[in-house]
Structures are given as structure tokens and as C-alpha cells.
Amino acid sequence: DKTLEKIYSALKESNSLKNTVIIITSDHGEMVTHIRDIPRIYSFYEEYINIPFMVFLPDKLRKKKTHIVSQLAKNLKKNIGNVDILPTLLDLAGTLQNNPYPQFLGNLDGSSLIKHIPSNRMLTVLNTNDFRHWNHEGFALIKENHKFISSDREGSLLYDLSKDPLETKALPLDEHSEKLSIYESFIKKHYHLDRIYNSEFGLKIRSITLNYL
């Protein structure tokens, strides 16, 4: 908080605050309840991935473009992620409208938060990619109130976050085959997810999970 105060004060004193958009967020959360004994880099639970996301807009921008504040408010209850930061800043700067770099902008996974965000969007959470590798791999897919976790530590798990926000009891996958098929269809379209999900170890531990449930 003290660091944020220093940044805010410096912008105000330099007369830059009136032209500055500030986004405050984090790369991960912290588990303080110790419900699960899983290291942060291998965990896809809410304690670690549900992080703060705050946007400060200067008065001049809020008064000039009231639709921006309105749209941010409408997206307040939507599932968003850090992948949305860059598209949002580019949109605020007017870059998306002019679109001088169509190939680059077309490859962005996120969405501008000052545009309509579909409530049924699929968010991806990963601990590895083509450049970052750990001893264990996995991912989570979040769609509306449900989260699907697949990892080589725990297998495949499905949670209803609206009824079980602490993720204490996974839903039986065989009773939610329709939802599972939606996740698997999404996985097939994304190389990195498909590689993890259908790896030899992934298939083995998924079989164990299904038998256990």
C-alpha cells in the first residue's frame, strides 16, 4: 500500500495523474488457509488464481468518455484475466480502433474490458508454456461458474464455484459429461492444453481420478 501511495503521489505532484490510467493487479494470490498442501506453482485453486484487479481512470477521461466507466461496471461480475490488460490499455490509447498492427493485435488472447465481455467466455490458467517448464504441469479452464482443473498431480477435477467457492468437493465427472465435452473440445483447439491433457502421464492419472470419483 505504501508503494502504491508513493506512485500515486509522484504522479499527482508531477501533474501526470490527470493523463494516467492505473491498473493494479497481481501475478498470483497467496494461500493463507492451508486447506491444501500444494505448492503455488502447481496449484490452480482460487486462493492462488483469484487476484485483485483495480482500474483508475483520470477525471478527464471519465467525463469525456462515460461509456468506458459504464462498460467497466458491466464487466465487473465477468470472468477476466491478466491477458485482458494489454488489449484494455491499447483500446484506451485508441490503438485498437486504428489497428496499425493487425497481425499482432489479432494474436492477442485477451479482450478489452471497455468492450462487451461475454459471460460464457473461457478463461485459461497455466503454470507452464513453451518457454517456462516446471516438474509438474497442468491448467485450469473457467467458464461461467464452473472450473475444470487438469494436472499431473491431481488428475481432472470439476468445481461449481457458485456453490462451492472453497473448492472442497469436486463434482463427479461422469455426471457432467456435457460440460466435460465442452472443455475437451476447447482443449483440442489449443496445442499446449492438448499436449498436457493427452500426455501419457495425463491420461494415466486422469484414469485414476475417474476411478476414484
Side-chain angles (χ1 to χ4, degrees), residues 31 36 38 43-50 147 149 154 157 159 166-167:
M31 184 179 290
R36 287 169 277 269
I38 303 175
S43 175
F44 302 96
Y45 292 99
E46 291 295 284
E47 294 94 342
Y48 287 129
I49 71 170
N50 196 339
K147 181 200 289 183
I149 297 174
E154 299 183 284
L157 301 166
Y159 292 97
L166 295 180
E167 298 161 295

Side-chain angles (χ1 to χ4, degrees), residues 19-202:
N19 297 316
T20 303
V21 173
I22 303 173
I23 293 180
I24 302 171
T25 186
S26 174
D27 56 342
H28 61 80
E30 294 294 341
M31 184 179 290
V32 294
T33 56
H34 300 289
I35 297 175
R36 287 169 277 269
D37 186 22
I38 303 175
R40 173 182 60 78
I41 58 173
Y42 304 141
S43 175
F44 302 96
Y45 292 99
E46 291 295 284
E47 294 94 342
Y48 287 129
I49 71 170
N50 196 339
I51 57 176
F53 195 98
M54 295 172 279
V55 180
F56 168 84
L57 299 174
D59 289 337
K60 183 172 66 174
L61 184 60
R62 281 186 289 170
K63 292 176 182 177
K64 185 178 179 180
K65 299 184 178 181
T66 56
H67 69 280
I68 291 177
V69 179
S70 175
Q71 193 58 62
L72 283 171
K74 290 177 181 177
N75 289 331
L76 197 59
K77 299 288 186 180
K78 307 287 181 64
N79 290 327
I80 64 170
N82 283 348
V83 291
D84 299 322
I85 295 176
L86 182 55
T88 300
L89 291 176
L90 290 173
D91 201 1
L92 286 168
T95 307
L96 293 187
Q97 289 85 350
N98 301 326
N99 200 9
Y101 312 105
Q103 186 173 359
F104 168 72
L105 296 176
N107 288 327
L108 293 178
D109 289 329
S111 300
S112 169
L113 298 178
I114 63 174
K115 297 286 196 304
H116 170 71
I117 299 290
S119 58
N120 64 343
R121 75 185 302 204
M122 186 85 76
L123 279 186
T124 303
V125 182
L126 280 161
N127 71 335
T128 61
N129 53 37
D130 290 335
F131 307 100
R132 167 71 75 179
H133 300 278
W134 300 113
N135 293 332
H136 295 282
E137 290 189 297
F139 60 85
L141 298 176
I142 303 171
K143 183 179 173 66
E144 297 176 325
N145 294 323
H146 287 81
K147 181 200 289 183
F148 176 71
I149 297 174
S150 180
S151 76
D152 59 13
R153 283 179 62 96
E154 299 183 284
S156 295
L157 301 166
L158 179 64
Y159 292 97
D160 184 341
L161 299 178
S162 63
K163 298 178 180 178
D164 182 20
L166 295 180
E167 298 161 295
T168 58
K169 185 173 178 57
L171 300 173
L173 292 175
D174 57 350
E175 295 179 13
H176 296 80
S177 56
E178 187 176 340
K179 287 190 180 298
L180 183 59
S181 66
I182 293 174
Y183 292 117
E184 290 183 333
S185 176
F186 183 85
I187 290 168
K188 287 179 183 178
K189 297 175 183 177
H190 295 80
Y191 157 75
H192 200 66
L193 302 179
D194 190 56
R195 181 187 63 75
I196 297 171
Y197 191 67
N198 290 305
S199 66
E200 181 179 351
F201 193 78

